[in-house]
Amino acid sequence: QVQLVESGGGLVQAGGSLRLSCAASGSIFSINAMGWYRQAPGKQRELVAIITRGGCTNYQDSVKGRFTISRGNTKNTVYLQMTSLKPEDTAVYYCNAVQTGVPYWGQGTQVTVSS
């Protein structure tokens, strides 16, 4: 079992920045990848960025060059640095961890970008 706790969401003006944090606890030794997803009202949840245990990263095209996913030194924390935010980035952002093929989710944190 893996527990995920997100923090760092909030309200920001377009062009601003936010950093989301996700702390994992529990059986973290077998986590294969961690990532961030988001879900806007009336839309499906979508992948934003992912980082594997080996450090490989992948991003949704719309956030490339603006968002950066990284891990903390202890590897049980993942961050999402978001810059040049746009109103269309407004969504609930969820931390995700995959452990031996089983996905785990955090409770979500709201990010609202005003125009």
Side-chain angles (χ1 to χ4, degrees), residues 2-111:
V2 175
Q3 294 79 44
L4 303 171
V5 178
E6 303 114 330
S7 60
L11 173 64
V12 64
Q13 289 188 330
S17 300
L18 281 175
R19 189 175 85 152
L20 306 182
S21 300
C22 174
S25 61
S27 302
I28 62 173
F29 59 90
S30 56
I31 291 177
N32 304 113
M34 293 184 71
W36 291 94
Y37 287 69
R38 67 186 181 188
Q39 188 167 18
K43 295 188 177 181
Q44 290 188 332
R45 192 172 297 188
E46 61 181 7
L47 174 68
V48 176
I50 190 169
I51 185 165
T52 68
R53 186 164 53 185
C56 296
T57 59
N58 194 28
Y59 296 90
Q60 182 191 113
D61 285 347
S62 68
V63 307
K64 285 180 180 178
R66 300 189 297 122
F67 291 10
T68 303
I69 190 169
S70 62
R71 293 180 305 190
N73 291 333
T74 58
K75 303 291 193 294
N76 66 326
T77 303
V78 64
Y79 304 101
L80 185 67
Q81 180 68 49
M82 305 185 291
T83 63
S84 302
L85 283 161
K86 305 176 181 179
E88 50 264 44
D89 294 318
T90 295
V92 177
Y93 283 69
Y94 295 91
C95 181
N96 167 272
V98 179
Q99 180 198 51
T100 58
V102 178
Y104 293 89
W105 298 93
Q107 80 284 358
T109 185
Q110 177 70 46
V111 172

